[in-house]
Amino acid sequence: MEKESLYELGKLAQAGDETAMLKIIELKKKILKKYSYGDEDRYQFLIIKVIEGIKRYKF
């Protein structure tokens, strides 16, 4: 399986590919956990912000 770049995943996710969006979240899971400081609500909030950011980003 070929490793996809974050840019390619972002373009696919913006086009509506849910699998690509999940791959991006999985790639960024470690940093999201780090900055949520153990708070599950903050973790979910950060995931929502990542999704909104990907949808608004100009590729």
Side-chain angles (χ1 to χ4, degrees):
M1 182 175 183
E2 183 180 319
K3 185 172 181 177
E4 297 171 297
S5 72
L6 190 58
Y7 177 80
E8 292 167 349
L9 288 172
K11 286 190 71 120
L12 290 171
Q14 198 172 49
D17 187 355
E18 292 178 10
T19 307
M21 186 69 76
L22 290 173
K23 285 181 183 179
I24 292 171
I25 292 170
E26 188 64 34
L27 285 172
K28 299 301 176 182
K29 188 178 211 174
K30 190 172 182 178
I31 197 164
L32 293 173
K33 287 275 189 189
K34 178 181 177 183
Y35 286 106
S36 67
Y37 304 107
D39 184 9
E40 186 65 28
D41 290 334
R42 189 177 293 166
Y43 178 68
Q44 293 297 322
F45 177 77
L46 290 173
I47 289 175
I48 290 169
K49 288 300 175 184
V50 167
I51 292 169
E52 288 174 356
I54 290 169
K55 287 184 179 182
R56 277 192 251 145
Y57 191 77
K58 304 254 189 272
F59 288 97

